[in-house]
């Protein structure tokens, strides 16, 4: 099941060139995206209403898109505006059009009722395109259900295990940290001190091999992860009584990530790595991204293997632990929103049902 009435990342802005037609599958829907003359992105159902050919094999004509099977032409609204073989265009000659917003170097698509598309619901990515920050971006395709990826991002204790040789830096500081989770609008905030964490060797400054890190992220519907990490000298966590620090950090980094389901068992994961130019060089930024990408390959290997076991043994139950608090809360939040947007169930007429039962008893 998917949540429909929300914004999903359809790709980075760089994925949508001025002239190309880009095919995507999101929540099982075939979609074609392209840019209009003014640069705005259009998203249409990638299935011509005539003989169901993919419009991504079509031709852009100004702001319109022509199907290159038998020539029907569609406006960005999805309405057919030309049928070469006839003068009358039936009102049913239409393909679905999806609301799109380009923001923070991401192209966001609304997969639900277009009348409910509210751009203020788009989560704000951290430091994307900001001149004061280095930013590198990537994406990863998963053979796994999106909820397993949400779960992974909502329990960062896995950094000490899955990523012991990369982000975990052979330390238990992530694994032993106790995050505080609070509800926010359409999501959760997860905050923690990671105490005495080894500094990455590519960020040599300031001197000293350990740091206390304040890591705080928002995880918002449908699966957007917004993490800011501030690093301090060891002892800072205790100085602040394990509460949020007010002092200026030694260095800061951020990452924004988005989980977009292709289908029930395939997902795309978009991620950025941002480093403040105040504390880092472009080379630091490249080195940080290299570590992050090694780490994300570790996540994928673990999650795809987990998915395989779940698929092969569907009745096996999971054990709940206190460290699952955030991911269980998020699963409940999503389940509630998904349930709320299902059409009301058609109730069986009670009288007929009861009358039939009575007749059966009498017989
Ligand atoms: S399938 Fe598109 S015009 Fe016939
Ligand atoms: Fe991970």
């Amino acid at each position: 099941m998917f949540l429909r009435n929300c914004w999903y990342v359809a790709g980075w802005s760089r994925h949508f060139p001025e002239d190309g037609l880009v095919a995507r599958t999101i929540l099982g829907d075939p979609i074609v995206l392209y840019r209009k003359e003014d640069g705005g992105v259009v998203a249409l159902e990638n299935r011509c209403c005539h003989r169901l050919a993919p419009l991504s094999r079509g031709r852009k004509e100004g702001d319109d898109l022509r199907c290159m099977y038998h020539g029907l032409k569609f406006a960005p609204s999805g309405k057919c505006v030309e049928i070469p073989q006839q003068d009358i265009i039936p009102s049913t000659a239409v393909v679905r059009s999806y609301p799109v917003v380009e923001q923070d170097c991401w192209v966001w698509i609304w997969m639900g009722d277009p009348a409910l598309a509210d751009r203020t619901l788009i989560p704000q990515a951290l430091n994307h395109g900001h001149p004061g920050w280095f930013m590198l971006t990537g994406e990863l395709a998963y053979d796994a259900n999106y909820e397993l990826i949400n779960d992974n991002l909502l329990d960062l204790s896995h950094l000490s295990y899955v990523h012991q040789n990369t982000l975990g830096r052979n330390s238990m500081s992530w694994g032993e940290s106790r995050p505080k989770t609070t509800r926010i609008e359409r999501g959760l905030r997860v905050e923690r001190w990671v105490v005495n964490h080894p500094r990455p060797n590519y960020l040599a400054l300031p001197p000293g091999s350990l740091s206390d890190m304040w890591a705080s992220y928002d995880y918002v519907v449908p699966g957007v992860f917004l993490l800011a990490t501030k690093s301090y000298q060891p002892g800072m966590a205790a100085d602040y009584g394990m509460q949020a620090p007010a002092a200026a950090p030694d260095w800061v980094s951020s990452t924004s990530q988005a989980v977009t389901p292709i289908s029930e068992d395939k997902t795309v994961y978009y991620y950025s790595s941002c480093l403040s130019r105040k504390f880092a060089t472009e080379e630091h930024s490249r080195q940080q991204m290299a570590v992050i990408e090694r780490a994300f390959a570790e996540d994928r290997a673990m999650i795809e293997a987990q998915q395989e076991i779940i698929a092969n043994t569907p009745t096996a139950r999971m054990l709940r632990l206190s460290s699952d608090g955030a991911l269980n809360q998020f699963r409940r939040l999503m389940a509630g929103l998904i349930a709320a947007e299902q059409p009301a169930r058609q109730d069986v007429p009670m009288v007929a049902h009861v009358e039939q039962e009575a007749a059966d008893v009498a017989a």
Side-chain angles (χ1 to χ4, degrees):
M1 292 284 275
F2 303 117
L3 182 62
R4 288 248 156 208
N5 285 316
C6 63
W7 296 97
Y8 286 87
V9 170
W12 292 103
S13 293
R14 61 178 163 78
H15 290 155
F16 305 97
E18 259 173 47
D19 279 326
L21 298 173
V22 179
R24 287 272 194 272
T25 302
I26 302 176
L27 314 190
D29 290 8
I31 296 168
V32 56
L33 299 106
Y34 64 93
R35 287 192 189 274
K36 293 187 291 184
E37 305 281 280
D38 67 3
V41 179
V42 175
L44 297 178
E45 178 181 352
N46 191 15
R47 183 171 46 206
C48 178
C49 54
H50 176 220
R51 305 297 297 172
L52 314 185
L55 292 177
S56 55
R57 286 179 169 267
R59 182 172 70 204
K60 219 176 81 161
E61 295 185 6
D63 287 351
D64 299 335
L65 180 55
R66 188 180 296 281
C67 178
M68 290 302 278
Y69 201 172
H70 314 99
L72 268 67
K73 188 164 89 165
F74 297 91
S77 66
K79 257 180 80 69
C80 179
V81 291
E82 190 184 316
I83 302 179
Q85 306 82 8
Q86 65 184 56
D87 297 331
I88 294 174
I89 300 175
S91 60
T92 47
V94 63
V95 294
R96 182 173 172 185
S97 170
Y98 297 78
V100 172
V101 171
E102 192 166 8
Q103 180 177 302
D104 299 329
C105 310
W106 267 332
V107 170
W108 298 85
I109 184 167
W110 179 267
M111 296 300 294
D113 178 353
L116 302 178
D118 173 358
R119 62 182 301 159
T120 65
L121 294 178
I122 298 176
Q124 226 166 2
L126 304 177
N127 307 308
H128 280 189
H130 190 295
W133 290 69
F134 294 110
M135 175 188 178
L136 292 170
T137 66
E139 57 277 335
L140 201 57
Y142 267 83
D143 283 331
N145 179 269
Y146 68 97
E147 286 198 291
L148 296 180
I149 304 169
N150 288 343
D151 292 349
N152 169 273
L153 294 167
L154 282 157
D155 178 5
L156 296 187
S157 68
H158 80 267
L159 265 70
S160 291
Y161 302 97
V162 176
H163 307 308
Q164 69 168 339
N165 298 317
T166 51
L167 301 173
R169 299 187 198 115
N170 292 305
S171 157
M172 281 307 300
S173 48
W174 276 99
E176 290 170 352
S177 65
R178 302 279 178 99
K180 178 179 146 205
T181 303
T182 40
R183 258 309 289 273
I184 57 170
E185 184 78 17
R186 288 168 74 83
L188 300 173
R189 177 160 299 159
V190 184
E191 302 166 295
R192 53 155 73 73
W193 277 102
V194 182
V195 178
N196 286 327
H197 192 55
R199 287 185 191 278
N201 53 16
Y202 54 85
L203 283 174
L205 293 172
S209 61
L210 297 177
S211 72
D212 282 0
M213 274 188 340
W214 174 251
S216 168
Y217 63 91
D218 288 352
Y219 206 88
V220 291
V221 166
V224 180
F225 174 82
L226 307 164
L227 168 70
T229 308
K230 298 177 178 178
S231 181
Y232 297 89
Q233 289 296 319
M236 192 62 101
D239 289 351
Y240 276 93
M242 303 305 280
Q243 300 301 309
D250 295 337
W251 61 270
V252 290
S253 68
S254 69
T255 175
S256 302
Q257 305 173 11
V259 175
T260 302
I262 296 173
S263 63
E264 290 290 352
D265 52 14
K266 286 190 188 301
T267 306
V268 184
Y269 174 52
Y270 299 98
Y271 53 87
S272 67
S273 166
C274 297
L275 265 183
S276 166
R277 288 174 188 262
K278 261 198 260 177
F279 308 102
T281 65
E282 198 163 7
E283 180 55 23
H284 294 143
S285 168
R286 273 195 291 272
Q287 291 187 30
Q288 172 158 290
M289 186 59 153
V291 174
I292 284 177
E293 296 208 306
R294 274 171 56 208
F296 290 174
E298 293 167 343
D299 281 317
R300 181 168 65 177
M302 179 63 84
I303 292 170
E304 289 185 346
Q306 178 194 22
Q307 173 73 83
E308 209 176 315
I309 289 180
I310 292 170
N312 291 339
T313 54
T315 56
R317 305 298 297 262
M318 294 183 183
L319 171 70
R320 287 181 179 223
L321 299 178
S322 59
S323 56
D324 302 325
L327 67 90
N328 283 330
Q329 272 194 65
F330 193 75
R331 277 186 176 240
R332 280 198 297 277
L333 168 64
M334 287 287 283
L337 291 169
I338 290 170
E341 68 180 22
Q342 300 313 304
R345 203 170 59 88
Q346 286 291 316
D347 284 326
V348 179
M350 205 53 191
V351 175
H353 195 64
V354 170
E355 278 173 357
Q356 184 58 52
E357 275 181 10
D360 290 347
V361 170

